[in-house]
Amino acid sequence: MKKILLFLFLGAVGFTAYSCDKDDDVVVQQGQDTINQAFDISPTFTKVSDNLYRWKDNFNSPLVQSDMVLIYMQIGTEGGAPIWKLLPYTYYVGNVNNDAVDYIYEFTKNSATININSTNTFSLTANPSYYQNKNFRVLILPANGTGTGKSAKGNAVDYNDYKSVIKYYNIDESKIKTK
């Protein structure tokens, strides 16, 4: 009988110790998730130098820490549909100097910036077709937090493949507006 009482006592102490654990006090906040946003822009770039043009725009409201921004540049059309290329993107001019034009973006929680810069021997000012009449698509998406390009479920997203991103994040292209 003493052995049964000892086991019951140890069980009660163990249950009490386990139920007093304070790790369950974590509060998960709802409503902080990003709602997918997509919009098109045809920016007017500002000259910084002969080899650098820049466009910057502020977001309507600051991004939350878990947001990420992807910017795609339209590099042509196929069957009437635009072909989108994820930035950064380097276009090689194809001249004897092997000049290149780089399309780069960066973002903060408040704004996005697109820089177009060229090699020192290639003047963007003298070649405005590399920065004028360009179309870009901006996607604001919830980051997955893994840093691997995979969702928490393990499904891979190829951010270089625009169609894969649109499908994965359920973005309705017919509702994308021009900003």
Side-chain angles (χ1 to χ4, degrees):
M1 183 72 177
K2 289 182 183 180
K3 287 183 181 181
I4 293 175
L5 289 175
L6 177 65
F7 284 120
L8 286 174
F9 176 75
L10 289 174
V13 169
F15 180 77
T16 304
Y18 179 76
S19 64
C20 291
D21 186 294
K22 295 196 184 276
D23 287 341
D24 60 347
D25 291 341
V26 175
V27 177
V28 178
Q29 292 184 355
Q30 298 296 322
Q32 295 292 323
D33 292 338
T34 299
I35 298 172
N36 302 331
Q37 297 177 45
F39 55 90
D40 290 340
I41 56 172
S42 296
T44 300
F45 289 90
T46 303
K47 179 181 176 180
V48 176
S49 71
D50 276 347
N51 302 93
L52 177 61
Y53 279 73
R54 178 173 291 142
W55 170 85
K56 182 176 181 176
D57 191 39
N58 293 327
F59 298 124
N60 292 336
S61 59
L63 303 179
V64 296
Q65 185 174 355
S66 63
D67 289 347
M68 70 176 171
V69 176
L70 300 176
I71 300 181
Y72 293 84
M73 183 173 86
Q74 184 178 352
I75 60 168
T77 58
E78 184 176 286
I83 300 170
W84 298 105
K85 182 76 171 169
L86 179 63
L87 300 185
Y89 170 63
T90 300
Y91 179 81
Y92 294 96
V93 176
N95 60 16
V96 294
N97 296 327
N98 288 326
D99 288 321
V101 177
D102 293 318
Y103 298 88
I104 303 166
Y105 81 100
E106 53 196 37
F107 70 94
T108 68
K109 71 177 189 174
N110 296 309
S111 65
T113 303
I114 299 174
N115 290 314
I116 302 174
N117 55 346
S118 65
T119 53
N120 289 335
T121 57
F122 188 78
S123 168
L124 287 173
T125 304
N127 296 282
S129 64
Y130 291 95
Y131 64 88
Q132 289 180 350
N133 302 316
K134 296 293 181 191
N135 298 315
F136 298 87
R137 181 156 289 169
V138 179
L139 303 180
I140 301 174
L141 306 168
N144 60 40
T146 65
T148 61
K150 295 183 179 180
S151 69
K153 299 175 191 171
N155 300 330
V157 180
D158 181 2
Y159 294 116
N160 289 306
D161 180 3
Y162 171 78
K163 290 179 184 179
S164 174
V165 173
I166 293 298
K167 181 178 178 183
Y168 183 83
Y169 288 100
N170 275 337
I171 296 174
D172 184 353
E173 288 188 283
S174 68
K175 294 182 180 178
I176 294 176
K177 304 284 186 207
T178 300
K179 184 175 178 182

